Amino acid sequence: MKSGKAILGYKATVKALRRSKAKMIMIASNCPQLRKSELEYYAMLAKTRVHHYVGDNTALGTACGKFFNCSVLSIIDAGDSDILTNTKE
């Protein structure tokens, strides 16, 4: 993640969804089902795109350049990236 702004974590993502700040959320494959359905519901209310990440939470954290697990990633600003236009629902 060289440009743009992203938020890691469940609590921060829910806050961003409630404020309609998130443009897209990414959910790891091993996120608990109850938490996943809650995030999808909030995203539907906020009209935010949801992408189900193929890897687990360790791979999602590593893809973000962090040394810890992350089950949910919220993209606030894409920056120079074209992630919001390339991902299909």
Side-chain angles (χ1 to χ4, degrees):
M1 296 188 322
K2 296 181 181 181
S3 66
K5 185 166 180 175
I7 295 175
L8 303 175
Y10 171 73
K11 284 184 179 180
T13 299
V14 169
K15 285 181 186 177
L17 284 171
R18 285 183 183 161
R19 295 178 184 150
S20 296
K21 299 267 185 190
K23 303 258 193 307
M24 184 173 87
I25 62 171
M26 299 179 85
I27 304 173
S29 64
N30 64 344
C31 184
Q33 185 62 36
L34 182 64
R35 185 169 284 189
K36 190 182 294 188
S37 63
E38 184 180 357
L39 286 167
E40 288 171 349
Y41 177 70
Y42 281 134
M44 186 248 335
L45 291 177
K47 297 180 177 85
T48 303
R49 298 172 68 178
V50 178
H51 177 74
H52 295 281
Y53 189 69
V54 179
D56 61 349
N57 57 358
T58 306
L60 184 59
T62 305
C64 296
K66 305 295 182 188
F67 294 110
F68 50 84
N69 300 341
C70 172
S71 62
V72 183
L73 167 73
S74 176
I75 297 174
I76 304 299
D77 180 28
D80 296 334
S81 173
D82 57 349
I83 190 167
L84 295 177
T85 57
N86 279 348
T87 56
K88 295 184 172 119
E89 294 185 18

